[in-house]
Amino acid sequence: MKITKITIQGFRAFDEPFLLDLKDGKNLLLHGENGAGKSSLYMALRRFMEERGDDINRHRNQFSDASRTTKVTLHLPVKDAAGNTVDRAFDWEENLHPLVVPANPATAPISPAERSVLVDTSRRAGFIDYRVLLRTHLMAAPYARTNVGPSPHVGVFGTPSTSLAEQLFDLVACVILDGVRVPVSGGTEPTIGALARRVWERRPRTLHKRNLDAFNLAANAFNAAFNAKLPEVQTKLSEYLGEFSNHHLEITLPQVAVRWDRSTRTMRGAELVPQVKFRGRVFSDYHDVLNEARLSALALCLFFAGVALSDNDQTNDQYCRLLVLDDALIGLELQNRLPVLKILQRDEFKHYQRFMLTHDRVWFDLAKETLTTSDNWFHRELLATEDGGRLTPMLKPSPEDLQRARAHLAAGDYRAAALFARSAFEAKLRSVCQDEGIEVKYKKDHKKISADALWSGIESRQQKREADRARGATVADFIPAPLVQRVNRMRSTILNQLSHAAPPNLGHADVQEAIDTVQQLCQNPFA
């Protein structure tokens, strides 16, 4: 089971309705420059799969019109009452997170069976970005807000601290192994993340025996489950590190013993202090000794181990599984990124729907050679176009844009329809100029060559044909004069409005005319 479509609107970078069609559940390799909306897509998926829910208004696009609903929708194939597979749209919008169990079951947005599907997906999902990777080896704390404490200089350059062990414990227990199921007495299988949160929830407010007993019960259950999984984590971690040549690392994960200290009224033992051996020597300060490439590789492999162990039924392809990487490889040079592609293609991840998002064009082009369409990978590019003085994320123009324009027109969203028509128009201009050798003013960055410059080049080619005919040559039109007139009319009306900050005043007939004009342009032979 795989996500077939993602639609986003009014969410972070995405104001206008945005559709990502995953072609019946393909993996996605996505390139986008900084600010193009990659991390917003990543956050939409990650927060949608938050089992404890999230308020979508926290992520509302700051430029959205008040009438615009903030909404994220995932389409998944599910079984209906008759056992048939149907495409089901799951919505996350205001006061309606699909994974949260409402106080009143009658108000539940989805059925218990459908929620179970999403919860299973959530627990099998892995979300990795460079920020969360840094937490495995970066010690950080805010500057002191009082008249005591370290100076900003110390805050910037660091001071000896034991906080990394606590940070790593929190990260492994509540994030990396969050969805890993463990059997406990009574026959149930809670997750390590749920057991860890129970420990925090039961911190005794007083030293009354019943409070201490409740905490000890939760702490002992967590300790037993967590420590039982550590050998598996360590084995997987070492296995994935083996994909990196010359890493010279050996990792041992010690057991933990979370307990309550009566004298200080604090929780003790909530620390993870890995024993890291590099070139045969043990380093307690591995975060200072290892270079960025090895630290990044270590962090990635730890996360991959957690994702693999969260799947308790790897042979069953009926579950939806997600593995999403958002610029997670920026700490690795190209030669050390290739092992990550090998890990992504391992058998334990073959049932996962994998998303790899990157701003690095060179890496995107290189990864395409390995993550091929024949292996069910889908390659797309995300652009941020200037629209009314602000950036609007859009997929790189494609032949599908006119189809999308017509769909938005039918739905009454004239602005979105006009934007897709413009996208298809500009894509056609670029392909014509490239294929026919149209002369345009040179720019080092070809993406900065405007649509106006491209269209002027095409018009110039037609004018040259007309001049040649006037001198007696027998040459066909490069583009017929009536079509030139239609395009110029469209550019001065519809497209001109989209370039200004004021909301466009678009009507159905105008947008329909623009779509038909672009359709005719796309069908012109340009011979």
Side-chain angles (χ1 to χ4, degrees), residues 36-47:
K38 300 186 310 301
S39 293
S40 294
L41 172 62
Y42 171 84
M43 191 63 70
L45 287 169
R46 182 170 188 171
R47 294 305 187 189

Side-chain angles (χ1 to χ4, degrees), residues 2-214:
K2 306 287 178 64
I3 297 171
T4 58
K5 295 178 184 176
I6 303 170
T7 56
I8 308 173
Q9 67 175 36
F11 184 93
R12 294 172 68 92
F14 297 96
D15 177 20
E16 299 292 335
F18 174 85
L19 169 65
L20 179 60
D21 188 342
L22 294 167
K23 308 294 183 184
D24 297 323
K26 289 186 179 295
N27 304 310
L28 176 67
L29 173 63
L30 181 71
H31 170 262
E33 296 178 347
N34 291 327
K38 300 186 310 301
S39 293
S40 294
L41 172 62
Y42 171 84
M43 191 63 70
L45 287 169
R46 182 170 188 171
R47 294 305 187 189
F48 190 106
M49 289 299 165
E50 176 55 62
E51 189 175 344
R52 290 166 296 285
D54 191 15
D55 179 6
I56 200 168
N57 287 323
R58 294 176 51 225
H59 308 285
R60 182 173 177 80
N61 182 287
Q62 298 300 308
F63 298 97
S64 286
D65 185 83
S67 63
R68 174 84 71 198
T69 300
T70 302
K71 186 175 182 179
V72 176
T73 302
L74 303 187
H75 292 254
L76 285 164
V78 299
K79 299 288 186 181
D80 62 12
N84 300 314
T85 300
V86 297
D87 184 74
R88 172 73 159 92
F90 294 94
D91 297 324
W92 171 30
E93 49 192 326
E94 185 174 10
N95 301 321
L96 205 65
H97 193 289
L99 274 75
V100 174
V101 179
N104 180 4
T107 65
I110 58 177
S111 69
E114 289 175 328
R115 180 181 180 275
S116 178
V117 169
L118 292 183
V119 169
D120 271 329
T121 300
S122 171
R123 292 178 177 178
R124 288 178 170 85
F127 294 92
I128 310 172
D129 63 29
Y130 70 93
R131 300 176 189 84
V132 75
L133 291 178
L134 288 174
R135 290 177 57 194
T136 63
H137 58 268
L138 182 66
M139 295 184 293
Y143 300 152
R145 263 54 172 178
T146 64
N147 60 352
V148 295
S151 69
H153 181 275
V154 173
V156 170
F157 294 102
T159 185
S161 171
T162 60
S163 66
L164 181 57
E166 296 169 349
Q167 284 180 201
L168 198 54
F169 175 90
D170 298 348
L171 186 64
V172 173
C174 299
V175 178
I176 295 177
L177 301 184
D178 181 34
V180 175
R181 297 165 177 81
V182 287
V184 297
S185 58
T188 60
E189 280 194 330
T191 64
I192 284 180
L195 292 175
R197 288 187 290 276
R198 193 175 302 167
V199 172
W200 259 267
E201 291 165 359
R202 296 188 180 181
R203 286 170 293 171
R205 296 180 180 276
T206 69
L207 295 181
H208 193 283
K209 184 177 184 302
R210 67 171 177 271
N211 293 335
L212 293 173
D213 287 346

Side-chain angles (χ1 to χ4, degrees), residues 462-527:
Q462 172 60 19
Q463 291 164 4
K464 184 177 184 302
R465 295 276 180 98
E466 293 172 355
D468 290 343
R469 277 204 300 266
R471 290 191 292 268
T474 304
V475 291
D477 281 328
F478 187 62
I479 177 171
L483 180 54
V484 171
Q485 292 172 0
R486 288 188 71 178
V487 170
N488 282 330
R489 187 165 58 247
M490 174 186 70
R491 291 175 63 239
S492 65
T493 55
I494 301 296
L495 301 190
N496 185 51
Q497 287 192 56
L498 292 175
S499 300
H500 291 82
N505 182 22
L506 302 173
H508 186 282
D510 292 332
V511 178
Q512 180 72 66
E513 169 68 14
I515 294 173
D516 292 343
T517 299
V518 177
Q519 181 73 54
Q520 186 179 350
L521 184 75
C522 290
Q523 294 171 345
N524 187 68
F526 291 100

Side-chain angles (χ1 to χ4, degrees), residues 21 23 378 380 395 397-405 420:
D21 188 342
K23 308 294 183 184
F378 185 44
R380 293 308 299 264
L395 289 172
S398 73
E400 299 168 354
D401 284 344
L402 273 181
Q403 180 180 344
R404 292 172 184 155
F420 276 110

Side-chain angles (χ1 to χ4, degrees), residues 176-348:
I176 295 177
L177 301 184
D178 181 34
V180 175
R181 297 165 177 81
V182 287
V184 297
S185 58
T188 60
E189 280 194 330
T191 64
I192 284 180
L195 292 175
R197 288 187 290 276
R198 193 175 302 167
V199 172
W200 259 267
E201 291 165 359
R202 296 188 180 181
R203 286 170 293 171
R205 296 180 180 276
T206 69
L207 295 181
H208 193 283
K209 184 177 184 302
R210 67 171 177 271
N211 293 335
L212 293 173
D213 287 346
F215 176 84
N216 289 332
L217 186 66
N220 291 339
F222 169 80
N223 291 337
F226 187 80
N227 290 333
K229 279 293 174 182
L230 282 181
E232 294 179 59
V233 176
Q234 186 171 305
T235 298
K236 277 290 181 188
L237 172 58
S238 299
E239 191 177 318
Y240 294 147
L241 274 175
E243 299 286 3
F244 292 82
S245 60
N246 301 317
H247 63 80
H248 301 295
L249 291 170
E250 296 178 44
I251 314 297
T252 303
L253 299 174
Q255 294 197 341
V256 303
V258 178
R259 65 192 187 283
W260 192 257
D261 189 309
R262 294 170 61 101
S263 62
T264 61
R265 298 194 179 191
T266 57
M267 186 163 58
R268 300 288 190 182
E271 300 175 348
L272 189 62
V273 187
Q275 183 185 79
V276 178
K277 185 181 290 186
F278 176 52
R279 297 187 185 277
R281 179 178 173 184
V282 175
F283 289 94
S284 59
D285 54 347
Y286 69 93
H287 52 281
D288 286 331
V289 173
L290 301 181
N291 62 28
E292 186 62 31
R294 287 190 172 88
L295 288 171
S296 296
L298 179 58
L300 279 165
C301 293
L302 182 58
F303 271 89
F304 283 131
V307 174
L309 293 175
S310 70
D311 190 356
N312 63 339
D313 192 3
Q314 292 183 358
T315 61
N316 188 340
D317 63 359
Q318 296 305 305
Y319 295 117
C320 184
R321 302 165 170 88
L322 297 177
L323 178 53
V324 189
L325 285 75
D326 178 25
D327 269 335
L329 311 183
I330 58 177
L332 296 170
E333 64 271 14
L334 284 178
Q335 68 177 7
N336 279 326
R337 295 182 185 186
L338 295 176
V340 175
L341 302 184
K342 294 181 182 179
I343 294 173
L344 287 176
Q345 294 175 295
R346 290 174 65 102
D347 285 346
E348 56 264 46

